[in-house]
Amino acid sequence: MLGDPATLPQVMALRRRNDPRLHALMSDESRITYLELDDASRALAGRLIRAGLNKGDRVGLLMHNGIDWATTAVAVMRVGGVLVPLSTLLRAPELHAQLGVAGVTHLIAVRDYRSRSYLEDLRSLSPDLEGRVRIGRRDPLLPALRQIWIWPELPEAGSPPGRVEALEGVVRPADDMVVLFTSGSRGAPKGVIHTHGSALRATAAGLEARCIGARERLYIPMPFFWTGGFCGGLLSVLLAGATLLTESTPEPGQTIRFLERERATLFRGWPDQAARIAAHPAFAAADLSSLRP
């Protein structure tokens, strides 16, 4: 394990060197290679730095699964920002609580998803939040919050050449990388802090047991804002040099076509999802021979 990458920048450098043309992620709408993911996340990181992101800042990410989520997350983590994935299922009081508990300094969110408007949710609790943040004042309900960015309306100006690489060079395995909230099934969700070294090494240690090796095509519908989707999906393929197949809104017929078209080799959905797929009329005729046990 000592020779394995122990920071996110090291992981991305490894994938760029070894697997530049391999697809990193494939969604139901688009796809991106490791080279493209590295370039896109580096460019976005430069824009966020220019807009005020510093090492150690906690960046809330409120988006559905997809390439944009992964690109934004990698951009934040590769320069020492601490990613705080937020559930798209959160109601206004829950969202407010997690932003406060995690000490989120920057929030990146889609404007709406599944008929939910997250800005409207925040306005319902603090009508003046956006205005205060825009002029550099702190909101009494969320005093740590300094920036709110709506995807894809992010800062346009980039950082001077070399700034991203310089920050990547000072990211250490002991630095905080992500705050993942527990499900809260037996109480209020807890924000668990994972460092670069601990998250990457723990994920890498389980790759063999989970049969995730190089060039695998792993389908996983679990949300990236939970450990199953983030560590079991995104971090796993980055470490293994595999391809992640993900859908923003899984539906049995669509999933069957997706698995068949993209020749998935591993299915890591929920048992009830597998049952719905097996019961779908299109299942019997589908060619899913690429799937392994």
Side-chain angles (χ1 to χ4, degrees):
M1 295 289 292
L2 293 178
D4 292 339
T7 68
L8 203 283
Q10 291 174 5
V11 173
M12 294 307 298
L14 179 64
R15 294 280 73 83
R16 185 183 184 94
R17 183 171 65 250
N18 291 356
D19 304 292
R21 304 301 175 188
L22 179 68
H23 283 115
L25 289 96
M26 305 176 79
S27 74
D28 37 12
E29 298 177 348
S30 55
R31 57 194 65 202
I32 191 169
T33 66
Y34 277 106
L35 178 64
E36 292 166 338
L37 177 61
D38 190 49
D39 287 343
S41 61
R42 178 181 290 108
L44 179 54
R47 292 159 59 190
L48 296 178
I49 293 166
R50 181 69 176 268
L53 180 68
N54 295 306
K55 181 180 180 181
D57 283 343
R58 295 189 171 187
V59 183
L61 183 56
L62 186 52
M63 301 171 66
H64 50 276
N65 275 22
I67 290 171
D68 290 341
W69 199 106
T71 302
T72 307
V74 171
V76 170
M77 295 184 293
R78 69 184 300 156
V79 292
V82 183
L83 183 70
V84 184
L86 297 164
S87 170
T88 56
L89 304 176
L90 294 175
R91 296 298 175 182
E94 299 167 324
L95 175 58
H96 174 267
Q98 292 193 11
L99 290 172
V101 167
V104 169
T105 58
H106 301 67
L107 175 62
I108 301 174
V110 291
R111 190 169 298 279
D112 50 56
Y113 176 60
R114 285 184 168 180
S115 302
R116 293 282 310 284
S117 173
Y118 300 112
L119 281 182
E120 288 300 324
D121 285 350
L122 290 175
R123 291 187 190 111
S124 71
L125 297 173
S126 180
D128 298 327
L129 175 63
E130 288 176 88
R132 288 193 179 103
V133 169
R134 192 177 299 114
I135 64 174
R137 294 178 59 192
R138 300 300 176 93
D139 186 88
L141 293 178
L142 294 170
L145 190 60
R146 304 198 306 268
Q147 295 275 5
I148 298 176
W149 293 314
I150 301 301
W151 181 271
E153 302 163 16
L154 299 179
E156 289 297 331
S159 296
R163 181 72 57 84
V164 171
E165 291 78 3
L167 286 172
E168 288 179 340
V170 295
V171 174
R172 299 290 179 259
D175 290 339
D176 294 344
M177 184 177 81
V178 63
V179 177
L180 290 171
F181 277 91
T182 61
S183 62
S185 57
R186 296 190 177 185
K190 310 297 191 299
V192 182
I193 301 172
H194 302 267
T195 65
H196 284 255
S198 66
L200 295 173
R201 285 171 175 147
T203 302
L207 291 177
E208 182 177 359
R210 291 183 289 122
C211 304
I212 303 176
R215 307 286 165 152
E216 294 288 355
R217 299 170 76 81
L218 168 67
Y219 171 80
I220 189 165
M222 299 175 187
F224 292 164
F225 55 73
W226 282 336
T227 304
F230 182 75
C231 297
L234 184 58
L235 290 191
S236 290
V237 299
L238 292 179
L239 286 163
T243 299
L244 183 62
L245 310 180
T246 184
E247 299 176 284
S248 59
T249 310
E251 180 277 324
Q254 174 181 291
T255 298
I256 290 170
R257 292 190 295 274
F258 185 47
L259 295 172
E260 185 176 27
R261 183 181 73 241
E262 305 303 346
R263 306 300 295 164
T265 60
L266 294 172
F267 176 90
R268 293 291 158 79
W270 292 282
D272 63 321
Q273 183 195 24
R276 289 196 300 272
I277 288 174
H280 194 275
F283 178 73
D287 177 9
L288 301 178
S289 57
S290 59
L291 286 174
R292 299 191 293 106

